[in-house]
Amino acid sequence: MNSGRLASLRQWWQSLKQNQKIIFILGCTGVLVTIALLGQLVLRPSYAPLFTELEPRDAAKIIEQLESSKVPYRLTNNGKNIEVPEDQVYKLRIQMASAGVLQDSGVGFELFDEKKFGITEFEQQVGYQRALQEELRRTIVQLDEVEQARVHLVLPRESVFLDEQVAPSASIVLKLKNYAKLEPNQVMGIQSLVMGSVEGLKPENIHIIDTEGNVLNDSLALKSNEPLSTTAMERYEIQKNYEKEMESRIQQMLNRILGPGRAVSMVTAELDFDKQETVRTEHGPGAVLSDQTTTESGAGVAPGGVPGTDTEMPGDTMPLADGNTSSNYNREQRTTNYEVDTTQQTIIKSPGNIKRLSISVVVDGEYPQAQLDSIQQVVAAAVGYDAARGDQITVSSMQFNSPAIPGFDEPSGSQGAAPWASRNYLIAAGVAAGALLILAVLIMVLRRRARRRREELLRLEAEEAAKQSLAAEQPEEREIAIEEPKPGYRSKIKDIAREKPSEIVEVLKAWLRE
């Protein structure tokens, strides 16, 4: 059976033309190369980061340890990342930690584990300062956003003279991870940590900066007992959030009108955070509760006055014959009681009212003034523009600098080599799939041509055999005139029918249909 297959394969190969043989050989070679590449990618162990963002000195130590242990590795991200086989990551980390490779050049309080004789007080003070700096550094780098940190302490020696005492100070430099940002409460936590670790250290003597030169604790309160600073920060956050909300509303509206990226808006809001309380009391005319009138009148006789003196008596006085005087008096008193009508009103003005708004909108391109005025009216209505309040709004048009605007599809340089590696894998997989598809199509075409050629040969052989058999079945008297068939055809047709009965049946069916 194998010899028959080899013979048919040899016959099929000989039936191909020269260019078909070349194409077939090239296709097979491409398939083998593709299979070899894919096998190498699949069988190659997957690598995982052992350590990332290493300094050259630390990377050299780790590489030396890996080479001594004969562990395969590779460097990525310009030598800052070291990758090893994924199944050995945790084991190697433990080995590196036990070998002391992960320890930084600084030493903490383990510096005092070894007892040294003859050490001076100055050396002991310097050692304590080094140990404290390293311990603070190790604590600070535990934050997820912090990649590296340096702590510098100034610990002056104590003096018996008050005028010679110097306050301690601290400076901290932080290297943050890519796209990381410390929140104000985290910066305040670092400041509190250092302040609690150094005796006599005050918050104003702590300076925290990052590697870009930004002072991180500049906006924090200098003293923990000053609530005004916290209130100011809260007011600033409220104002900033309000401005962002207004800008977002304006931008959404302009995007629907002009299209995305065709306008830029900025809002500056001045809010009034003063709390005012006004108490106003009003008195009305009131109502009469009671009205009382008292009238008095009377007459009387009084003795004469002393000679030579004038006597003044109320009422009318008349002299009498006996020297006495008589008087009459009248008195009227009216008392009216009112119910006081009092109205008291307390007005409390809540903080956060808008004092003034300034809106600036710039649109891309050239627009007529009438259209700019329409945009200004729409924006003014959207933000609640009030001219009496002193609000300002400006809408102008100019050409945007499109090349300066970064696109979303630009690759970032800080991503390292991992995205490129995955992209290469995808390209290799695509090429391999394309090569396999081309080879499959080529094989199908060649097999179809070979099958047609084989059917044609079988048809010709079957026709020749049929002619020979018909000639053999003629009557005996005419048998002398017919030539004998060539020897070997019968046995050959029998062998073909025995090996490929289905194809012989197809040929016979084709003859019957004809």
Side-chain angles (χ1 to χ4, degrees), residues 177-246:
K177 296 180 180 179
N178 295 332
Y179 308 107
K181 181 181 179 182
L182 286 178
E183 298 295 333
N185 57 346
Q186 293 177 313
V187 179
M188 186 176 295
I190 296 174
Q191 179 174 302
S192 302
L193 170 68
V194 180
M195 185 173 59
S197 302
V198 180
E199 182 180 1
L201 183 60
K202 297 180 180 180
E204 58 266 22
N205 293 332
I206 301 176
H207 309 280
I208 305 175
I209 64 173
D210 58 9
T211 52
E212 296 180 358
N214 300 319
V215 182
L216 302 181
N217 63 334
D218 189 20
S219 59
L220 299 179
L222 296 179
K223 295 181 181 180
S224 59
N225 57 354
E226 289 185 358
L228 295 179
S229 298
T230 304
T231 305
M233 289 299 298
E234 292 177 354
R235 292 178 177 179
Y236 174 75
E237 290 294 331
I238 294 173
Q239 179 174 336
K240 184 173 66 174
N241 293 335
Y242 177 77
E243 293 174 351
K244 287 184 177 180
E245 177 65 22
M246 298 301 294

Coordinates of all heavy atoms in Angstrom, one line a residue, residues 177-246:
K177 N 6.3 58.3 40.5 CA 6.1 57.4 39.4 C 5.4 58.2 38.2 O 4.9 59.3 38.4 CB 5.3 56.2 39.8 CG 6.0 55.3 40.8 CD 5.1 54.2 41.2 CE 5.8 53.3 42.3 NZ 5.0 52.1 42.6
N178 N 5.5 57.6 37.1 CA 4.9 58.2 35.9 C 3.4 58.4 36.1 O 2.7 57.5 36.5 CB 5.1 57.3 34.6 CG 6.6 57.2 34.3 OD1 7.4 58.1 34.6 ND2 7.0 56.1 33.7
Y179 N 3.0 59.7 35.8 CA 1.6 60.1 35.9 C 1.0 60.0 37.3 O -0.2 59.9 37.5 CB 0.7 59.2 34.9 CG 1.2 59.2 33.5 CD1 1.8 58.0 33.0 CD2 1.1 60.3 32.7 CE1 2.3 58.0 31.7 CE2 1.6 60.3 31.4 CZ 2.2 59.1 30.9 OH 2.7 59.1 29.6
A180 N 1.9 59.9 38.3 CA 1.4 59.9 39.7 C 1.5 61.3 40.3 O 2.2 62.1 39.9 CB 2.3 59.0 40.5
K181 N 0.6 61.5 41.2 CA 0.5 62.8 41.9 C 0.1 62.6 43.3 O -0.8 61.8 43.6 CB -0.6 63.7 41.2 CG -0.7 65.0 41.8 CD -1.8 65.8 41.0 CE -2.0 67.2 41.6 NZ -3.1 68.0 40.9
L182 N 0.8 63.3 44.2 CA 0.5 63.2 45.6 C -0.7 64.2 46.0 O -0.7 65.3 45.6 CB 1.7 63.6 46.5 CG 2.8 62.5 46.5 CD1 4.0 63.0 47.3 CD2 2.3 61.2 47.1
E183 N -1.6 63.6 46.8 CA -2.7 64.5 47.3 C -2.2 65.3 48.4 O -1.2 65.0 49.1 CB -3.9 63.6 47.7 CG -4.5 62.7 46.6 CD -5.1 63.6 45.5 OE1 -5.6 64.7 45.8 OE2 -5.2 63.1 44.4
P184 N -2.9 66.4 48.7 CA -2.4 67.3 49.8 C -2.4 66.6 51.1 O -1.5 66.8 51.9 CB -3.5 68.4 49.8 CG -4.0 68.5 48.4 CD -4.0 67.1 47.9
N185 N -3.3 65.7 51.4 CA -3.3 65.0 52.7 C -2.1 64.0 52.7 O -1.6 63.8 53.8 CB -4.6 64.2 52.9 CG -4.9 63.2 51.7 OD1 -4.3 63.3 50.7 ND2 -5.8 62.3 51.9
Q186 N -1.7 63.5 51.6 CA -0.5 62.6 51.6 C 0.8 63.5 51.9 O 1.7 63.0 52.7 CB -0.3 61.9 50.3 CG -1.4 60.9 50.0 CD -1.3 60.2 48.7 OE1 -1.1 60.9 47.7 NE2 -1.4 58.9 48.6
V187 N 0.9 64.6 51.3 CA 2.0 65.5 51.6 C 2.0 65.9 53.0 O 3.1 66.0 53.7 CB 2.0 66.8 50.7 CG1 3.1 67.7 51.0 CG2 2.0 66.3 49.2
M188 N 0.8 66.2 53.6 CA 0.7 66.6 55.0 C 1.1 65.4 55.9 O 1.7 65.6 56.9 CB -0.7 67.0 55.3 CG -0.9 67.6 56.7 SD -2.6 68.2 57.0 CE -2.6 69.6 55.8
G189 N 0.8 64.2 55.4 CA 1.2 63.0 56.2 C 2.7 62.9 56.2 O 3.3 62.5 57.3
I190 N 3.4 63.1 55.1 CA 4.9 63.0 55.1 C 5.4 64.1 56.0 O 6.4 63.9 56.8 CB 5.4 63.2 53.6 CG1 4.9 62.0 52.8 CG2 6.9 63.3 53.6 CD1 5.3 62.2 51.3
Q191 N 4.9 65.3 55.9 CA 5.3 66.4 56.8 C 5.2 66.0 58.3 O 6.1 66.3 59.1 CB 4.6 67.7 56.4 CG 5.0 68.9 57.3 CD 4.3 70.1 56.8 OE1 4.4 70.5 55.6 NE2 3.5 70.8 57.6
S192 N 4.0 65.5 58.6 CA 3.8 65.1 60.0 C 4.7 63.9 60.4 O 5.2 63.9 61.6 CB 2.3 64.6 60.2 OG 1.4 65.7 59.8
L193 N 5.0 63.0 59.5 CA 5.9 61.9 59.9 C 7.3 62.4 60.2 O 7.9 62.1 61.2 CB 6.0 61.0 58.7 CG 7.1 59.9 58.7 CD1 6.8 58.9 59.8 CD2 7.2 59.2 57.4
V194 N 7.8 63.3 59.4 CA 9.2 63.9 59.7 C 9.2 64.8 60.9 O 10.1 64.7 61.7 CB 9.7 64.7 58.4 CG1 11.0 65.2 58.7 CG2 9.7 63.8 57.2
M195 N 8.1 65.5 61.1 CA 8.0 66.4 62.2 C 7.9 65.6 63.5 O 8.5 66.0 64.6 CB 6.8 67.3 62.1 CG 6.6 68.4 63.2 SD 5.3 69.5 62.9 CE 3.9 68.3 62.8
G196 N 7.3 64.4 63.5 CA 7.2 63.6 64.7 C 8.4 62.8 64.9 O 8.6 62.2 66.0
S197 N 9.3 62.7 63.9 CA 10.5 61.9 64.1 C 11.7 62.7 64.6 O 12.7 62.1 65.1 CB 10.9 61.2 62.8 OG 9.8 60.4 62.3
V198 N 11.7 64.0 64.4 CA 12.8 64.8 64.8 C 12.3 65.7 65.9 O 11.3 66.4 65.8 CB 13.3 65.6 63.6 CG1 14.5 66.5 64.1 CG2 13.7 64.7 62.5
E199 N 13.0 65.7 67.0 CA 12.6 66.6 68.2 C 12.8 68.0 67.9 O 13.9 68.4 67.4 CB 13.4 66.2 69.4 CG 13.0 66.9 70.7 CD 13.9 66.5 71.8 OE1 14.7 65.6 71.7 OE2 13.7 67.0 72.9
G200 N 11.8 68.8 68.1 CA 11.9 70.3 68.0 C 11.7 70.7 66.5 O 11.9 71.9 66.3
L201 N 11.4 69.9 65.6 CA 11.2 70.3 64.2 C 9.8 70.9 64.0 O 8.8 70.3 64.4 CB 11.4 69.0 63.3 CG 11.3 69.3 61.8 CD1 12.4 70.3 61.4 CD2 11.4 68.0 61.0
K202 N 9.8 72.1 63.4 CA 8.6 72.8 63.2 C 8.2 72.6 61.7 O 9.0 72.4 60.8 CB 8.8 74.3 63.5 CG 9.1 74.5 65.0 CD 9.3 76.0 65.2 CE 9.6 76.3 66.7 NZ 9.7 77.7 67.0
P203 N 6.9 72.8 61.4 CA 6.4 72.6 60.0 C 7.0 73.5 59.1 O 7.3 73.2 57.9 CB 4.9 72.8 60.2 CG 4.6 72.5 61.6 CD 5.7 72.9 62.4
E204 N 7.3 74.8 59.5 CA 7.8 75.7 58.5 C 9.3 75.4 58.2 O 9.8 76.0 57.2 CB 7.7 77.2 59.1 CG 8.4 77.3 60.4 CD 7.5 77.1 61.6 OE1 6.5 76.5 61.4 OE2 7.8 77.7 62.7
N205 N 9.9 74.5 58.9 CA 11.3 74.2 58.6 C 11.4 72.9 57.8 O 12.5 72.3 57.7 CB 12.1 74.0 59.9 CG 12.3 75.3 60.6 OD1 12.3 76.4 60.0 ND2 12.4 75.3 61.9
I206 N 10.3 72.4 57.3 CA 10.3 71.2 56.5 C 10.0 71.6 55.0 O 9.0 72.3 54.7 CB 9.2 70.2 56.9 CG1 9.4 69.8 58.4 CG2 9.1 69.0 56.1 CD1 8.4 68.9 59.0
H207 N 10.8 71.1 54.1 CA 10.7 71.5 52.7 C 10.6 70.2 51.9 O 11.5 69.4 51.9 CB 11.9 72.3 52.2 CG 12.2 73.5 53.1 ND1 11.5 74.7 53.0 CD2 13.1 73.7 54.1 CE1 11.9 75.5 53.9 NE2 12.9 74.9 54.6
I208 N 9.5 70.0 51.2 CA 9.2 68.8 50.4 C 9.1 69.3 48.9 O 8.2 70.1 48.6 CB 7.9 68.1 50.8 CG1 8.0 67.8 52.3 CG2 7.7 66.8 50.0 CD1 6.7 67.2 52.9
I209 N 9.9 68.7 48.1 CA 9.9 69.0 46.6 C 10.0 67.7 45.9 O 10.3 66.7 46.4 CB 11.0 70.0 46.2 CG1 12.4 69.3 46.4 CG2 11.0 71.3 47.0 CD1 13.6 70.1 45.9
D210 N 9.7 67.8 44.6 CA 9.8 66.6 43.7 C 11.0 66.9 42.7 O 11.7 67.9 42.8 CB 8.5 66.4 42.9 CG 8.1 67.6 42.1 OD1 8.9 68.5 42.0 OD2 7.0 67.5 41.5
T211 N 11.3 65.9 41.9 CA 12.4 66.0 41.0 C 12.3 67.0 39.9 O 13.3 67.4 39.3 CB 12.7 64.6 40.4 OG1 11.5 64.1 39.8 CG2 13.2 63.6 41.4
E212 N 11.1 67.6 39.7 CA 10.9 68.6 38.8 C 11.0 70.0 39.4 O 10.7 71.0 38.7 CB 9.5 68.5 38.1 CG 9.4 67.2 37.3 CD 8.0 67.0 36.6 OE1 7.2 67.9 36.9 OE2 7.8 66.0 35.9
G213 N 11.3 70.1 40.7 CA 11.4 71.4 41.3 C 10.2 72.0 41.9 O 10.2 73.1 42.4
N214 N 9.1 71.2 41.9 CA 7.8 71.7 42.5 C 7.8 71.6 44.0 O 8.1 70.5 44.5 CB 6.6 71.0 41.9 CG 6.5 71.1 40.4 OD1 6.8 72.2 39.9 ND2 6.2 70.1 39.7
V215 N 7.5 72.7 44.7 CA 7.4 72.6 46.2 C 6.0 72.0 46.5 O 4.9 72.7 46.2 CB 7.5 74.0 46.8 CG1 7.5 73.9 48.3 CG2 8.9 74.6 46.3
L216 N 6.0 70.9 47.1 CA 4.7 70.2 47.3 C 4.0 70.6 48.6 O 2.7 70.6 48.6 CB 5.0 68.7 47.4 CG 5.6 68.0 46.2 CD1 5.8 66.5 46.5 CD2 4.9 68.2 45.0
N217 N 4.7 71.1 49.6 CA 4.0 71.6 50.8 C 3.9 73.1 50.9 O 3.7 73.6 52.0 CB 4.8 71.0 52.0 CG 6.2 71.6 52.1 OD1 6.8 72.0 51.1 ND2 6.7 71.7 53.3
D218 N 3.9 73.7 49.7 CA 3.8 75.2 49.8 C 2.4 75.6 50.1 O 2.2 76.7 50.7 CB 4.3 75.8 48.4 CG 4.4 77.3 48.4 OD1 4.5 77.8 49.6 OD2 4.4 77.9 47.4
S219 N 1.4 74.9 49.6 CA 0.0 75.3 49.8 C -0.6 74.7 51.1 O -1.8 74.9 51.3 CB -0.8 74.8 48.6 OG -0.7 73.4 48.5
L220 N 0.2 74.0 51.9 CA -0.3 73.5 53.1 C -0.3 74.5 54.2 O 0.4 75.5 54.2 CB 0.5 72.2 53.5 CG 0.5 71.1 52.6 CD1 1.3 69.9 53.1 CD2 -0.9 70.6 52.3
A221 N -1.0 74.3 55.3 CA -1.1 75.2 56.4 C 0.3 75.1 57.1 O 0.8 74.0 57.3 CB -2.2 74.8 57.3
L222 N 0.8 76.2 57.6 CA 2.1 76.2 58.3 C 1.9 75.7 59.7 O 2.8 75.2 60.3 CB 2.6 77.7 58.3 CG 3.0 78.2 56.9 CD1 3.5 79.6 57.1 CD2 4.0 77.4 56.2
K223 N 0.8 75.9 60.3 CA 0.5 75.4 61.6 C -0.8 74.6 61.6 O -1.7 75.0 61.0 CB 0.4 76.6 62.6 CG 1.7 77.4 62.8 CD 1.5 78.5 63.8 CE 2.8 79.3 63.9 NZ 2.7 80.4 64.9
S224 N -0.8 73.6 62.4 CA -2.0 72.7 62.5 C -3.1 73.4 63.2 O -4.3 73.0 63.0 CB -1.6 71.4 63.2 OG -1.2 71.7 64.5
N225 N -2.9 74.5 64.0 CA -4.0 75.1 64.7 C -4.5 76.3 64.0 O -5.1 77.2 64.6 CB -3.5 75.5 66.1 CG -2.3 76.4 66.0 OD1 -1.7 76.7 65.0 ND2 -1.9 77.0 67.2
E226 N -4.3 76.4 62.7 CA -4.8 77.5 61.9 C -5.9 77.0 61.0 O -5.6 76.5 59.9 CB -3.7 78.2 61.1 CG -2.7 79.0 61.9 CD -1.7 79.7 61.1 OE1 -1.7 79.5 59.8 OE2 -0.8 80.4 61.6
P227 N -7.1 77.1 61.4 CA -8.2 76.6 60.5 C -8.4 77.5 59.3 O -9.1 77.1 58.4 CB -9.4 76.6 61.4 CG -9.1 77.6 62.5 CD -7.6 77.6 62.7
L228 N -7.9 78.8 59.3 CA -8.1 79.7 58.2 C -7.5 79.1 56.9 O -8.1 79.3 55.9 CB -7.6 81.1 58.6 CG -8.3 81.8 59.7 CD1 -7.7 83.1 60.0 CD2 -9.8 82.0 59.4
S229 N -6.3 78.5 57.0 CA -5.7 78.0 55.9 C -6.5 76.9 55.2 O -6.6 76.8 54.0 CB -4.3 77.5 56.2 OG -3.5 78.6 56.7
T230 N -7.0 76.0 56.1 CA -7.8 74.9 55.6 C -9.1 75.5 54.9 O -9.5 75.0 53.9 CB -8.2 74.0 56.7 OG1 -7.0 73.5 57.3 CG2 -9.0 72.8 56.2
T231 N -9.7 76.5 55.6 CA -10.9 77.1 55.0 C -10.6 77.8 53.6 O -11.3 77.7 52.7 CB -11.4 78.2 55.9 OG1 -11.7 77.5 57.2 CG2 -12.7 78.8 55.4
A232 N -9.4 78.4 53.5 CA -9.0 79.0 52.3 C -8.8 78.0 51.2 O -9.2 78.2 50.0 CB -7.7 79.8 52.4
M233 N -8.2 76.8 51.5 CA -8.1 75.7 50.6 C -9.4 75.2 50.1 O -9.7 74.9 48.9 CB -7.2 74.6 51.1 CG -5.8 75.0 51.3 SD -5.0 75.4 49.7 CE -5.2 73.8 48.9
E234 N -10.4 75.1 51.1 CA -11.7 74.6 50.7 C -12.4 75.6 49.8 O -13.1 75.2 48.8 CB -12.5 74.4 52.0 CG -12.0 73.2 52.8 CD -12.8 73.0 54.1 OE1 -13.7 73.9 54.4 OE2 -12.6 72.1 54.8
R235 N -12.2 76.9 50.1 CA -12.8 77.9 49.2 C -12.2 77.8 47.8 O -12.9 78.0 46.8 CB -12.7 79.3 49.8 CG -13.4 79.5 51.1 CD -13.2 80.8 51.7 NE -14.0 81.1 52.9 CZ -13.9 82.2 53.6 NH1 -13.1 83.2 53.2 NH2 -14.7 82.3 54.7
Y236 N -10.9 77.6 47.8 CA -10.3 77.5 46.5 C -10.8 76.3 45.7 O -11.0 76.4 44.5 CB -8.8 77.5 46.7 CG -8.0 77.2 45.4 CD1 -7.8 78.2 44.4 CD2 -7.4 76.0 45.1 CE1 -7.1 78.0 43.3 CE2 -6.7 75.8 43.9 CZ -6.6 76.8 43.0 OH -5.9 76.5 41.9
E237 N -10.9 75.2 46.3 CA -11.5 74.0 45.7 C -12.9 74.2 45.2 O -13.3 73.8 44.1 CB -11.4 72.8 46.6 CG -10.0 72.3 46.9 CD -9.3 71.7 45.7 OE1 -10.0 71.2 44.8 OE2 -8.1 71.8 45.6
I238 N -13.7 74.9 46.0 CA -15.1 75.2 45.6 C -15.1 76.1 44.3 O -15.8 75.8 43.4 CB -15.9 75.8 46.7 CG1 -16.0 74.8 47.9 CG2 -17.2 76.3 46.2 CD1 -16.7 75.4 49.1
Q239 N -14.3 77.1 44.4 CA -14.2 78.0 43.2 C -13.7 77.3 42.0 O -14.2 77.5 40.9 CB -13.3 79.2 43.6 CG -13.2 80.2 42.5 CD -12.4 81.5 42.9 OE1 -12.3 81.8 44.1 NE2 -11.8 82.1 42.0
K240 N -12.7 76.5 42.1 CA -12.1 75.8 41.0 C -13.2 74.8 40.4 O -13.3 74.7 39.2 CB -10.9 75.0 41.4 CG -10.1 74.3 40.3 CD -8.8 73.8 40.7 CE -9.0 72.7 41.7 NZ -7.7 72.0 42.1
N241 N -13.9 74.1 41.3 CA -14.9 73.1 40.8 C -16.0 73.9 40.1 O -16.5 73.4 39.1 CB -15.4 72.3 41.9 CG -14.4 71.4 42.5 OD1 -13.5 71.0 41.9 ND2 -14.6 71.1 43.8
Y242 N -16.4 75.0 40.6 CA -17.4 75.8 39.9 C -17.0 76.3 38.5 O -17.7 76.2 37.5 CB -17.8 77.0 40.8 CG -18.8 77.9 40.1 CD1 -20.2 77.6 40.1 CD2 -18.5 79.1 39.5 CE1 -21.1 78.4 39.5 CE2 -19.4 80.0 39.0 CZ -20.7 79.6 38.9 OH -21.7 80.4 38.3
E243 N -15.7 76.7 38.4 CA -15.2 77.2 37.1 C -15.2 76.0 36.1 O -15.5 76.2 35.0 CB -13.8 77.8 37.3 CG -13.8 79.1 38.1 CD -12.4 79.6 38.4 OE1 -11.5 78.8 38.2 OE2 -12.3 80.7 38.9
K244 N -14.7 74.8 36.6 CA -14.7 73.7 35.7 C -16.1 73.3 35.3 O -16.3 72.9 34.1 CB -14.0 72.5 36.5 CG -12.5 72.6 36.6 CD -11.9 71.4 37.3 CE -10.4 71.5 37.4 NZ -9.8 70.3 38.0
E245 N -17.1 73.3 36.2 CA -18.4 73.0 35.8 C -18.9 73.9 34.7 O -19.6 73.5 33.7 CB -19.3 73.0 37.0 CG -20.8 72.7 36.8 CD -21.0 71.3 36.3 OE1 -20.2 70.4 36.5 OE2 -22.1 71.1 35.6
M246 N -18.7 75.2 34.9 CA -19.2 76.2 33.9 C -18.4 76.0 32.6 O -19.1 76.1 31.5 CB -18.9 77.6 34.4 CG -19.7 78.0 35.7 SD -21.5 77.8 35.5 CE -21.8 79.1 34.3

